[in-house]
Amino acid sequence: MSNQAEHPTLLIPGPVEFDDEVLQAMSHYSQSHVGAPFVGTFGETLTMLRQLLQTSKPQSQPFVVSGSGTLGWDFVAANLVERGDDVLVLHTGYFADSFADCFETYGVNATQLKAPIGDRPQLPEVEKALKERNYKLITVTHVDTSTGVLSEVKALSELVHRVSPQTLVVIDGVCSVGSEDIQFDEWGIDAVLTASQKAIGCPAGLCIMMYSGRAIERFKNRTTLPSSYFASIKNWLPIMQNYEAKKASYFATPSPQLIHALHTSLTQILARPLAERFSIHREKSQRIKSTISSYGLTQLATNPENQANSMTAIYLPEGMKAPEVLPNLLKRGVIFAGGLHKEIATKYIRFGHMGVSVVDPARKDVDKALAALKEGLEEAGYQFP
């Protein structure tokens, strides 16, 4: 039984519902950020991130820096490429536009390879683009929160290594880490960026990253200084290396309470095999999508191969708008998100199903949400098939 104050069940694509132990860890008493107890906790947290992202190579380097997942874009743009370089951004929704905009802010030339809404760029298209220009890196949003589209990272990385081996493979995993399988070493990934508040199940405020040895070498071989001070690998690399070695170090003050919460969440995640966790997410997602289909509704991602396991983007019935439905869900104690893709924002809603809401068998969040959706649509005048 949860000790949390009564509240509507939050089922948006992040932040998500949090476990009681994680929230209790947030109330940890104040500690010195360079004291041995906290340094030990931070070091263990970094090591657990290696396990979550399935990397055992000592050259790989985890980073945890105070900030949102968006800060990860700045780290990539400020450190792994230089002004005038070319990068290829695979577009599956809103967040590719934003990542491209971040690159342009740093003077990097971002070329977007776009797919229709609900789809993803196909591998032959990617291969053609890679052969046309020397791209320093390629980015893909593993799960685009605006569309619920899942990208195929393994096959993409294999293609890049075959066709353009000098191109770094960068994964925006903000809405996938913790709910989708990511085999950092096996798949040859160079960078994964994520945030604490989604499938990892920790309150917002931490930018979490993993870089390959190849990415770190790319940074070290820059011909110009990093184009950011706070988001500089030069400044953060020795800090992260020292913390993981249980040595006190300082560049900028971390959040001890958030690190304790992350440590607790990762401990819970790694208490069972990762394959089991991903299987539970996949099974719950398939059940949700099947039920939505039985309601006569469709998804933005129509191809099952493109459908994320952490969320579902649902088209509303013809002529119905999100503001007509979302308040009905709230009255039933459920919060979904409205649309985010600017071309169709009012025509769909987003259901986030990740973390404790799906892996904790004592919680009935999914059942509650599906019932609320059905009743909310009926109240808005929808006639079910």
Side-chain angles (χ1 to χ4, degrees):
M1 192 72 174
S2 175
N3 296 319
Q4 298 173 37
E6 187 174 343
H7 63 279
T9 304
L10 186 61
L11 292 167
I12 64 175
V16 300
E17 287 287 323
F18 301 126
D19 184 82
D20 283 3
E21 289 185 13
V22 173
L23 292 182
Q24 288 163 8
M26 280 287 291
S27 64
H28 196 284
Y29 56 81
S30 190
Q31 283 183 304
S32 167
H33 56 290
V34 292
F38 174 69
V39 170
T41 299
F42 204 156
E44 291 173 4
T45 300
L46 292 167
T47 298
M48 284 192 285
L49 287 171
R50 293 179 183 272
Q51 298 174 54
L52 177 62
L53 290 168
Q54 302 178 71
T55 175
S56 59
K57 292 182 178 179
Q59 298 90 344
S60 300
Q61 181 60 53
F63 288 72
V64 179
V65 179
S66 295
S68 74
T70 307
L71 180 61
W73 295 343
D74 285 85
F75 264 86
V76 170
N79 293 282
L80 301 188
V81 284
E82 303 182 54
R83 181 174 292 274
D85 283 349
D86 291 304
V87 300
L88 181 62
V89 178
L90 303 189
H91 186 287
T92 55
Y94 173 92
F95 290 93
D97 289 326
S98 299
F99 205 165
D101 188 36
C102 178
F103 281 120
E104 297 288 347
T105 300
Y106 286 89
V108 176
N109 304 317
T111 298
Q112 292 199 59
L113 184 58
K114 297 191 175 187
I117 295 174
D119 205 352
R120 61 193 187 196
Q122 300 303 299
L123 294 180
E125 299 175 289
V126 178
E127 180 170 355
K128 181 175 182 292
L130 289 172
K131 289 178 177 178
E132 290 174 347
R133 191 175 301 173
N134 178 22
Y135 291 107
K136 291 299 180 69
L137 60 81
I138 183 172
T139 76
V140 63
T141 309
H142 196 184
V143 172
D144 194 293
T145 317
S146 71
T147 58
V149 169
L150 172 70
S151 291
E152 188 180 9
V153 172
K154 181 176 183 290
L156 173 66
S157 185
E158 289 173 349
L159 170 67
V160 175
H161 283 279
R162 175 174 59 83
V163 174
S164 184
Q166 78 284 357
T167 301
L168 298 181
V169 179
V170 176
I171 310 302
D172 179 338
V174 169
C175 197
S176 69
V177 173
S179 62
E180 304 282 356
D181 190 19
I182 300 177
Q183 299 183 33
F184 193 86
D185 288 352
E186 184 69 23
W187 296 352
I189 300 170
D190 291 300
V192 172
L193 329 168
T194 191
S196 51
Q197 76 275 10
K198 302 209 179 198
I200 289 177
C202 173
L206 295 176
C207 176
I208 299 165
M209 299 165 282
M210 184 71 71
Y211 292 101
S212 70
R214 193 167 78 131
I216 297 297
E217 285 304 309
R218 172 71 61 85
F219 162 75
K220 290 180 177 178
N221 291 327
R222 291 177 63 91
T223 59
T224 60
L225 291 173
S227 45
S228 171
Y229 182 68
F230 184 74
S232 168
I233 288 179
K234 173 179 176 290
N235 292 328
W236 282 111
L237 180 60
I239 308 302
M240 296 299 137
Q241 291 173 330
N242 285 341
Y243 267 125
E244 196 168 10
K246 310 295 176 63
K247 299 176 183 177
S249 197
Y250 175 75
F251 165 60
T253 305
S255 169
Q257 283 68 35
L258 276 170
I259 296 299
H260 277 287
L262 178 60
H263 183 279
T264 300
S265 179
L266 290 173
T267 300
Q268 292 177 344
I269 289 171
L270 295 171
R272 67 171 74 184
L274 286 174
E276 181 181 329
R277 179 181 179 86
F278 301 143
S279 177
I280 293 170
H281 276 85
R282 185 165 53 253
E283 291 167 4
K284 288 288 180 71
S285 177
Q286 289 171 352
R287 181 190 159 210
I288 288 165
K289 290 167 171 59
S290 176
T291 302
I292 287 168
S293 179
S294 75
Y295 291 172
L297 304 176
T298 59
Q299 300 175 54
L300 272 65
T302 55
N303 185 339
E305 293 181 353
N306 296 349
Q307 295 170 356
N309 294 307
S310 56
M311 64 166 292
T312 305
I314 310 162
Y315 275 118
L316 291 169
E318 186 68 30
M320 192 175 290
K321 305 296 184 186
E324 301 172 51
V325 177
L326 295 178
N328 298 343
L329 301 186
L330 181 58
K331 286 190 292 186
R332 292 163 174 83
V334 171
I335 299 176
F336 280 9
L340 186 59
H341 197 294
K342 58 188 177 183
E343 294 180 29
I344 54 170
T346 63
K347 297 181 179 181
Y348 74 106
I349 56 177
R350 296 175 296 143
F351 178 177
H353 37 84
M354 64 190 101
V356 293
S357 287
V358 298
V359 299
D360 184 348
R363 298 184 71 111
K364 304 301 178 185
D365 296 356
V366 170
D367 294 338
K368 179 180 178 181
L370 291 172
L373 177 60
K374 187 173 189 294
E375 294 171 9
L377 288 168
E378 286 176 332
E379 184 178 346
Y382 178 55
Q383 299 294 318
F384 283 81

